[in-house]
Amino acid sequence: MKNMRKICVIVNSRANYGRIKTVLKALKSNPSVSLQIVVGASALLERFGNVRKIINKDGFKITSTLYSVVEGENPTTMAKSTGLAIIELSTIFENLKPDIVLTVADRYETMATAIAASYMNISLAHTQGGEVTGSIDESVRHSITKLAHIHFPATLNAANNLKRLGEDPESIFMTGCPAMDIVANQDLKLEDDFFKKYKGVGPELDPHKPYLVVLQQPVTTEYGKGFNQIEQTIKAIQSIKMQTVWLWPNVDAGSDEITKGIRKFREKEKPSNIHFYKNFSPEDYIKLIGNCVCQVGNSSSALREGSFLGVPVVNIGSRQSNRECGENVIHVENNNEQIQNAINIQIKHGKYKSSKIFGDGNSGQRIADILSKVNLKIQKKLFFNN
Amino acid sequence: MKNMRKICVIVNSRANYGRIKTVLKALKSNPSVSLQIVVGASALLERFGNVRKIINKDGFKITSTLYSVVEGENPTTMAKSTGLAIIELSTIFENLKPDIVLTVADRYETMATAIAASYMNISLAHTQGGEVTGSIDESVRHSITKLAHIHFPATLNAANNLKRLGEDPESIFMTGCPAMDIVANQDLKLEDDFFKKYKGVGPELDPHKPYLVVLQQPVTTEYGKGFNQIEQTIKAIQSIKMQTVWLWPNVDAGSDEITKGIRKFREKEKPSNIHFYKNFSPEDYIKLIGNCVCQVGNSSSALREGSFLGVPVVNIGSRQSNRECGENVIHVENNNEQIQNAINIQIKHGKYKSSKIFGDGNSGQRIADILSKVNLKIQKKLFFNN
Amino acid sequence: MKNMRKICVIVNSRANYGRIKTVLKALKSNPSVSLQIVVGASALLERFGNVRKIINKDGFKITSTLYSVVEGENPTTMAKSTGLAIIELSTIFENLKPDIVLTVADRYETMATAIAASYMNISLAHTQGGEVTGSIDESVRHSITKLAHIHFPATLNAANNLKRLGEDPESIFMTGCPAMDIVANQDLKLEDDFFKKYKGVGPELDPHKPYLVVLQQPVTTEYGKGFNQIEQTIKAIQSIKMQTVWLWPNVDAGSDEITKGIRKFREKEKPSNIHFYKNFSPEDYIKLIGNCVCQVGNSSSALREGSFLGVPVVNIGSRQSNRECGENVIHVENNNEQIQNAINIQIKHGKYKSSKIFGDGNSGQRIADILSKVNLKIQKKLFFNN
Amino acid sequence: MKNMRKICVIVNSRANYGRIKTVLKALKSNPSVSLQIVVGASALLERFGNVRKIINKDGFKITSTLYSVVEGENPTTMAKSTGLAIIELSTIFENLKPDIVLTVADRYETMATAIAASYMNISLAHTQGGEVTGSIDESVRHSITKLAHIHFPATLNAANNLKRLGEDPESIFMTGCPAMDIVANQDLKLEDDFFKKYKGVGPELDPHKPYLVVLQQPVTTEYGKGFNQIEQTIKAIQSIKMQTVWLWPNVDAGSDEITKGIRKFREKEKPSNIHFYKNFSPEDYIKLIGNCVCQVGNSSSALREGSFLGVPVVNIGSRQSNRECGENVIHVENNNEQIQNAINIQIKHGKYKSSKIFGDGNSGQRIADILSKVNLKIQKKLFFNN
C-alpha cells in the first residue's frame, strides 16, 4: 500500500468525464496504482446532469468533492471560480498527497488544477495539450502546457506543437484521446427507448427516424454576442424541420445568454420538433451523435468524436477555429443562411469515412501504463528543437 | 476623461515595485492615460517593509489594496494565495474596469493577475517574459506568457524565446527592463548616514568601508532543503569577516526555513559584522549593490541590475540557473567552500564593465508609450516562425 | 466632504432592496451623509431578476459590486457563499472605509456582512433583529444581533426580545420596518398592462379578475424535503382553479428542489391558469399582493406587508413559525387539503383590517436620521434587564 | 462502524488544544464514537509553535488540516481569515459528514466553524459560552452561542447567562472547563531542565528561583493602541528586575504591534532577565504558571487556570473586563506604575487558595459522555425564562 503510486484524477464536467473514463478504468485495475478521484465544479451540479451519479454508477469510488462554481456565468465569475477551485484543490491535495495529478483539456477548472499541483510540487499530467482552437480555451490550454510535466496529446499535430512550445520531448506521449476508446468500442445501435431514458423537455423523439443534434457553447472571448449567435442557429434549425436533439450548454461566461436565447425561443415558438436535454452518459452520447444525420454547433466533440465516427458536422463560428479535424466538417459563420445551407449539404452527403487522427481506441490503457511507471521530475526548462 | 485608456498596474512586492516604478511615472504624466495602481500581497505586509508607504511617498495614489497572502510559506499556501488573489483581483477589476492590466515577472501574484485578466477579457501586458531561470518561476513565467497579449521582454534573448513560444511577433516589444532606468539614472554616492536611515538589527555599518550584500531566496521546487542551503551561505559569510548587509527573503514556500536558519544563526552567534535589513527603497537598493564589494545569494537583481552596474556577483544554486547575465557573475553550488572561494575571487577582481543586455535606462517611458497607443485584441493564437 | 459620515448599505437580494429602499432615499438626501451602496449575491444574478438594474433605475449610484454565490443551492454551498462574501466584503470595506455598515434581516449574506464589519471595528447597524421565525434564519438573526451595535427592530415585540437578548437599551431604536413605507405610500391601483410589463412564462393574466399569489421558499433546516413540500402546494393551487401569479424562490439551500418541483409540474401539466414570474419591482410587488384574493406560501412578506395591507394569507409549514403577524394569516402544514381549505376560507373572508405592528410608513426617514447622528461605539457588553 | 456517532473537533490554536485535550482523550476511548480531528489556522504555523506536532505526539490522529490565516494581523485580515476558514471547513465537513462539530471558545476560527456547521445542518457543540469579557471576543462568543445547539459552559454564571440569552435549558450542560482537568491532574514540580526543553531566545532561566510570567495579547477593538500598551508593560517588568518568562502573543489583529514593541525592546535593551518563548505544551504551561510568583498580562488563562492554581495575577486593560475569576486577580490599566504596584503587591501576597469556579477536573469525560448520547436537533428557538 505504501509503495503504490498515488494518482489523482480531477473530473470537473460531463465532457471531462467522457474524455478520461477509460483512463480511470485502466488505473483502477492497475495493482501498482492507488487511484484518487476528485469531482468538482459543474460535475456536481444538478443542472448539468449531476455527473457524480454517473461516476458512481460506473463503479468508481469518489475520494473527494468540491463546489467551486461562483454563480454569474460571466467573465468575472469565471476568474473567481478559478480562484476558488485553487483554494479548494490545494487543501484536498494537502490531505491526499498524490504523486501525480491528471487533468483534462482546457477549462478554468483545468487551469485551477494545474496551478495548485504546480505550486505544490506535484507532477502534473495533462491531456489534449497542443491543440489549436479559438476562445479563451486556446490561451489557457497552452498556458497549462507550460506548467505540465507529462503530456498526453491526442494528435500528431498537437504533439508537434508541444515540442515547438519548448516542452521536453521525453515528456510528450502521443497516446491519442481516451474519448476515442469509448467511440471505438461502442455498439452504435439505438434502442427503441433510447430517448425515453432521458427526461429533458419537448416532444417525443423517434430514434429510428433521421434527427439532428445541436450543441452550441458560448465563446467566452466574444462575451455579449451569445444571444444573437444562438438566434442564428435557432432560425436555421427551425427552417430544416427535422426532429432535433438540443443539448444545453455547459457553465461558462455567456452560458446565460445562450440559455436565455433558447428558453425564449422554446417558450414562444413551442417547437414541435425539438427536444432539449441536459446530459447523456458518455456511451449514449456516442450513440447519439454516431446516428445523427448532422451535428450542428461548436462543440469540440463534433470535430473529435465526430471525425472518428464520420458524422457530418456543421461547425459554427470561431470557437473551434483552426482545430484539427477530419473531412467530415463544414465550417460556417454565425449566420442563419450559411448554417442552413451547410446542414442541407451534409444531409445530402451522409456519413463520412472514419478518421483516426484523434486516437485508435486504446488511449486509456496507454495513458494509465505510462502514469504508473513514468519517471517523475518537477523542475521544468525550455527545450527548443532547433 | 471618458476616452482615457485605463491602465491598471499591479504591485505585489518590493521587487515588483522597483521593476515598474519608471513605467508608473511615465504613465502618470501621460495625459491620455488614467493610471490605476493596485497594491497587494507582500507589498502590504509590515515584515516585508511595507512597500505601500514607499509608493505613497513617491507621490503615487493607490487605487485599491488587497490582502492575499495565506500564511504558511509552504507549497500549499503558495497555491492557496494564488487562488485568493484571483478572487480578490477579479472583484477589483470588475469595479475598476481597466482596458489593460500590466503585471511584472513571475511570482504567484503575477500568475493570479494573469488569470483574472485573461478570463475577464482584459488585455494583459507582461514584463520579463521569455527569460530562463530555475525554480517554479521558470514554469510560471512561460505559462503567463501564453496568457499575455502584450510582451515587454527585457533582453534580445528573451524576446527571441517569446517568438519561439509561438507569440505573435507584433505583440512583442523589446523595451528592456524598467529596473535599469533607476540604475542608469542613479547617483551612486553613499551618504554618511546611508545605513542609519534603515533600522534593521545588527551592528552599525560604515558605508565608506568595503561591504558584502547577501540576499538568498528559497528555491520553491527544492522545498525542504532551504535550512541546509542557507547554512552553507552563513558559514561562508562568517569566514570572510567583512561587514555585511543581509536582506531577509521575500514571502515564498520555504522562506520560513531560510528565516529560521538566519534567526538561529543570529541569536546563537551574535555576528558582529552582519546587519539584517528588511527592505531598501528602489533607489537605495541600487546604491547598496552598486557600491558593494560582492553580492552573494540567488537574487535575480544580482544578475540583472548587477550586470548593468558591473557588480561582482556570486550566484548560488539552481534558482537562477541558465539566466542570462553579464561577465560579472560566478555560479557556485550550495556549498560553503565554493561560495567562499568565489567571494574571494570577486573581492580580488573588483568591479566589472557595465553591460546593457537588460536595458539602456529608457524602458519605462518606452513601455508607457506603447501601452497608451497599442492596438488591443483579446483572442490569441499560435504563431510559429517556421 | 471629509466630515461626512460614511454609511455603507449592503443590498444582497430583491427582498433586501424592498426593505431598505426608503432608507437609501433618506440617506441620499441627507447632506451630512456620504452614502455607499454595495450590491452583491443574488441581487446581481439574472435569474433573480437583476436587482442591480432596478436600483440604477431608481436613481441610486452603486459604489461596488461583488459576486459571492457559490452554485449548488445546498447546505454546503450556503456556508461556502458566506465565506466568500466575507472575503469580498472585507476588501471592499478596506477600500471604502465606512463609519457604519447597515445590513438587512437574516440571510447568509447578512451574516457575512455582520462578520466582516465586526472584525473590522466598523459599527454595524441591523434591521429586523429580534423577530421570531423558524428555519436557519432564526439562529442567524439572533447571532447577528449579538454582533450588531445599532438595532432597528420592526415591532415592539422584537425590540423587547432584543433587550432580553442582553442588548444595550440605548442601542435599540424601534423604528418599524422601512418596507411598510413603500406599502403605506403605494397607490394600489393595477394598470391594465400590469402583468404585461413582466415577462415570465405562462398564460396572460387579467389584473381586473381575482387572482392568487404564491411564493414558497425552501426551509433550509428541512433540506431534502422541499420537493414533497412544493408538490402539496401545487396540488392545492391546481384544485382552486383561479388565475395565479407564482414567484420563483430565492437562492438558498433547497431552492433547487422547489424549482425542480415547479418546473416538472409546469412542463407536465402546462397549467393554463398559472403564470410564473422572477421578480417585481418593490412597488409593483405591493400592488400585486395588495390586490390578490389570497397570498399562499411561506414568504415573510405575506405576514409583514400582508398584515399592513390586510391581505388574506395562507402560511404553510415551519418557515415562519411563531412570527408575529396580524389577524390576516391562517397557518397550515405542508398538506394539500389543509392548504386548499385555508385558501377557500380566505377567499370567502375577503380583505382584513390593516395592522400597523410592522411600521407606520415613516421608518426609512427615522432610520436615516438616527444613522446620521447616533454616537458610535464598538465594544459591546451584555445588558440584562433584571 | 456505521452506527458510530461521528464527532468532529476543530483545533485552531495552542490555547484551543489545551482546552479540549481531555475531551479528545475521552472521545477517543469511547467505543460508540468515531473521532475526527481537524487542525487549522495558527495551530499549523511554525511561529506559533506548530501545535500539530504536539497533537501527534500525544497519540491523536489528525483527520484533516487546513491553512486559513490570511497574513496581515489586522482587522481586515481577521475578517478575511474567517471567510477563508468557512470555505475550507465546509468542504471538509462535506467530505467527513460529522454528526456533531465541537468548537472551543470565541476566536474567529471558532466563528468560522460555527457558521459552516450551522448552515450545513450539523449539530454544533460549543465550550466556554456565556462568559463575559471585553474585546471582539465578547460579541463573537455570544454570537456563536446563538448558533450552537449544545452548550458546555465552564461556570455557573456562564450557564445562567446562556439561559438569559434565550438558549434552551435542556441544551445547556454545566460541565466546567476541560482545561481544569489538566490543571487538577498536573504534578506541578519543575524539573531542572524545565526551561531548557524550550528554545526561545534570551538568558538561561533557573526554574528554582522566583520568576514572573508575562502574556499580553492585543485588544482587537483597540486596534492601533497595542504598541503603547505593550510599552507600559515592558517598562513595568524591567523595573521589577526578576527573571521573567515572556510568551509571544497569538495571531490576531494587532499582534504585529505587540510583537514589534517587544522586538524593539529586546533588540535595544537586550534585557538580561527576560527569556522569550513561543509555546509550551499544555502540561508544561500549567507547571509554568503554577510555580510563578506572579502572572502579568491579559491572558484568560491567568483568570481561569490561574484561579484554580491560586496564582497571583495582574490583569491589564480591558481584554478580560468583567470576566469571572477568583480572588487571585488584581485588575489594572495599561499604566506602568499601576502594573508595577500590583506586581509588587502580588509578590508580597504569595499564592492564593484554589478556586473551583471553572471546573473540578472531570470536565473532559463529562463532555465526551454527553456528546456521545445527547439527542440531536437542528432547529433552534428562543427560550426566555420569564
Side-chain angles (χ1 to χ4, degrees), chain D residues 288-305:
Chain D
L288 176 74
I289 67 171
N291 287 287
C292 78
V293 166
C294 177
Q295 180 169 1
V296 181
N298 59 10
S299 163
S300 61
S301 68
L303 281 72
R304 299 167 64 92
E305 287 83 347

Side-chain angles (χ1 to χ4, degrees), chain A residues 44-84:
Chain A
L44 295 179
L45 300 178
E46 208 55 55
R47 68 179 176 115
F48 299 102
N50 203 333
V51 183
R52 169 163 41 177
K53 277 187 205 158
I54 301 176
I55 296 174
N56 280 326
K57 221 183 105 196
D58 285 345
F60 297 112
K61 196 172 159 281
I62 293 172
T63 315
S64 200
T65 56
L66 67 139
Y67 288 89
S68 60
V69 178
V70 179
E71 196 167 341
E73 294 182 346
N74 57 44
T76 303
T77 57
M78 221 155 136
K80 215 169 277 297
S81 297
T82 312
L84 183 56

